[in-house]
């Protein structure tokens, strides 16, 4: 899978530490190396060298090589929570969930190549699949907490848990089909999947 569409200007490719090298710049470089060499074939040392930072600096940004791939996903959880807090009271529960999830997953054309690479790696690399549980749990809890507040139920009760997990499941299906088909807008897949969930796939 090519990284040609990844914005290289976000991460200068030069030796020696660039001034103010950010976690985002290191992330972009890591994604390019993962796409070019494979996740398992890329070391932390290679990423750090390409970014012009020390190994220690890499680990100040990320706990592990796998965490590079989850960095944007975890940021999405924060955006979900903020967006759920702004849903109007007269919007139905499942409509609110659909609107928020679709809204936070609107990407510009310049972001699509990177997103496809990220999702392809997460769905195919065993080491990344093994690290998924806490990240997916945080995403589910963001949805479940919104559902719990709307239903007047504890967040750890059956319906909020079920809604959070079912929402993640259909969104993962939408992402998988979007990556596999390599066509259309991601939000159209998410909208269809979440609309289907809301009506019981009738």
């Amino acid at each position: 899978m090519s990284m040609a569409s990844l914005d290289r200007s976000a991460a200068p490719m030069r030796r020696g530490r660039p001034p103010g090298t950010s976690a985002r710049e290191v992330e972009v470089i890591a994604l390019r190396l993962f796409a070019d060499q494979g996740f398992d074939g890329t070391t932390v040392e290679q990423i750090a060298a390409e970014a012009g930072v020390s190994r220690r600096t890499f680990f100040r940004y990320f706990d592990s090589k796998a965490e590079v791939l989850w960095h944007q996903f975890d940021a999405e959880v924060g955006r979900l929570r903020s967006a759920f807090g702004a849903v109007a009271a007269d919007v139905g529960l499942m409509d609110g969930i659909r609107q928020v999830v679709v809204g936070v997953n609107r990407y510009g054309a310049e972001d699509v190549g990177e997103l496809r690479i990220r999702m392809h790696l997460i769905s195919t690399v065993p080491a990344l699949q093994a690290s998924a549980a806490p990240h997916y749990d945080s995403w589910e809890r963001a949805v479940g907490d919104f559902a719990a507040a709307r239903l007047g139920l504890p967040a750890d009760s059956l319906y909020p848990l079920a809604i959070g997990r079912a929402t993640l499941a259909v969104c993962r299906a939408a992402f998988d089909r979007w990556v596999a088909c390599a066509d259309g807008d991601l939000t159209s897949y998410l909208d269809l999947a979440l609309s289907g969930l809301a009506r019981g796939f009738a």
Side-chain angles (χ1 to χ4, degrees):
M1 185 171 290
S2 171
M3 283 291 283
S5 56
L6 190 56
D7 183 5
R8 292 169 182 263
S9 66
M13 305 302 171
R14 59 177 182 270
R15 301 291 178 177
R17 182 173 180 174
T21 301
S22 66
R24 173 60 181 157
E25 290 171 323
V26 175
E27 178 187 13
V28 169
I29 289 169
L31 286 169
R32 177 174 59 78
L33 292 173
F34 294 156
D36 291 346
Q37 304 176 173
F39 179 82
D40 293 328
T42 302
T43 67
V44 168
E45 288 75 14
Q46 286 176 318
I47 297 168
E50 192 76 8
V53 301
S54 68
R55 190 173 187 274
R56 178 177 295 181
T57 297
F58 176 91
F59 284 113
R60 281 206 299 268
Y61 292 142
F62 307 105
D63 291 338
S64 67
K65 186 172 70 169
E67 288 304 304
V68 175
L69 273 300
W70 292 109
H71 183 65
Q72 294 299 318
F73 185 91
D74 292 343
E76 181 180 312
V77 174
R79 294 195 297 273
L80 282 175
R81 288 191 175 278
S82 295
F84 280 134
V87 176
D90 61 350
V91 175
L93 170 59
M94 297 308 295
D95 278 344
I97 290 172
R98 179 178 54 80
Q99 290 174 17
V100 166
V101 173
V102 170
V104 301
N105 280 283
R106 293 193 187 282
Y107 293 91
E110 69 278 7
D111 302 316
V112 169
E114 177 184 337
L115 182 61
R116 286 192 188 279
I117 290 163
R118 188 186 309 279
M119 297 309 301
H120 174 75
L121 289 166
I122 286 174
S123 65
T124 59
V125 175
L128 294 171
Q129 294 169 344
S131 69
H135 304 281
Y136 286 153
D137 183 64
S138 294
W139 199 98
E140 289 173 356
R141 283 190 283 109
V143 177
D145 287 349
F146 172 72
R150 280 301 184 92
L151 297 171
L153 295 171
D156 62 352
S157 59
L158 177 60
Y159 279 7
L161 286 173
I163 291 169
R165 293 177 185 179
T167 300
L168 177 64
V170 299
C171 288
R172 289 182 65 190
F175 267 102
D176 286 350
R177 291 307 302 156
W178 178 70
V179 170
C181 294
D183 66 349
D185 184 347
L186 168 62
T187 57
S188 65
Y189 287 83
L190 289 169
D191 190 73
L192 284 171
L194 290 165
S195 295
L197 176 64
R199 64 175 185 269
F201 300 105

